[in-house]
Amino acid sequence: MSEYVSTGCAEIDDLLGGGFERGAVTQIYGPPAAGKTNLALSGAVEVAAAGESALYIDTEGLSADRMEQIAGARADETDETLADLAERIVVSEALDFEDQEVAVQDAAELASQVELIVLDSATGFYRLERDDGDGGEALRDVARQITHLLSLARKHDLAVAVTNQVFADPDSDGTRALGGHTLNHWSGAIVRLDRFRGGNRRATLEKHRAKAAGDTVQFRITEAGLAGGQDRSLD
């Protein structure tokens, strides 16, 4: 069995040394519309296309149409149908922070049956809790969720991908990942996604257990999923 689970995008797989690493948490963060959910969903579909199962914990309202687009396009490349792939992706919907905590804990029940667990997003509800003045305890709760998923990854040799949001950092005059050092500590790999020039995207490796940080690749979001390189017609 491969040490990695493919993201469905060859360029990002290369950036990560092969894809989402088994036994570790890969954090994907960036501003809105940067492609975080598309990357996480692409990985889940890739697992399904390989005949395995994935668990997708959704806190932001996953688009069924988008899932059908990506899974349908991938199914067309196999001998299976959209329904075949879709039934291998278990979607657990969380409507609030308590739901998210329960869904993450319940992941233990399926961990032995899946190759990838996605938490999309880890910090959406945390941001609301923080804005209400209870950020410290909420961040500790998120950290406990990440460490729980990490323990499942190590125990069952599966990959975990979590998406994360950004906040404006006045010290650097830019944006940084929510949760700071607390979440970064438990992430084996960290990838920042950015959108630029007409919808093209850039993925930057900020942390990796076996590669130097700083490498970047460009990719695009298409109707069928993710594609490498830059569409220069969009410049």
Side-chain angles (χ1 to χ4, degrees), residues 55 79 112 142 187:
L55 172 61
D79 295 329
S112 64
V142 173
S187 301

Side-chain angles (χ1 to χ4, degrees), residues 27 126 139 164 167 176-185 190:
Q27 180 187 154
Y126 155 67
L139 180 57
N164 191 7
F167 72 99
R176 296 174 57 190
L178 274 173
H181 298 300
T182 301
L183 298 192
N184 292 351
H185 174 75
I190 302 174

Side-chain angles (χ1 to χ4, degrees), residues 2 26 36-37 51-52 61 63 68 72 75 103 117 128 136 156 171 188 193 195 216-217 219:
S2 171
T26 299
K36 302 182 294 294
T37 292
E52 305 293 345
S63 168
E68 289 181 5
I117 297 176
L128 296 177
H156 298 284
D171 293 332
L193 303 185
R195 180 178 180 175
T216 67
V217 297
F219 68 101

Side-chain angles (χ1 to χ4, degrees), residues 125-174:
F125 294 131
Y126 155 67
R127 168 167 262 151
L128 296 177
E129 297 285 328
R130 186 188 67 167
D131 291 345
D132 288 340
D134 194 22
E137 183 57 35
L139 180 57
R140 285 188 287 273
D141 287 341
V142 173
R144 282 191 287 267
Q145 292 173 22
I146 301 302
T147 56
H148 175 65
L149 294 176
L150 176 58
S151 71
L152 296 179
R154 290 174 172 171
K155 180 178 180 180
H156 298 284
D157 196 34
L158 56 86
V160 171
V162 300
T163 67
N164 191 7
Q165 300 181 5
V166 298
F167 72 99
D169 180 14
D171 293 332
S172 63
D173 195 28

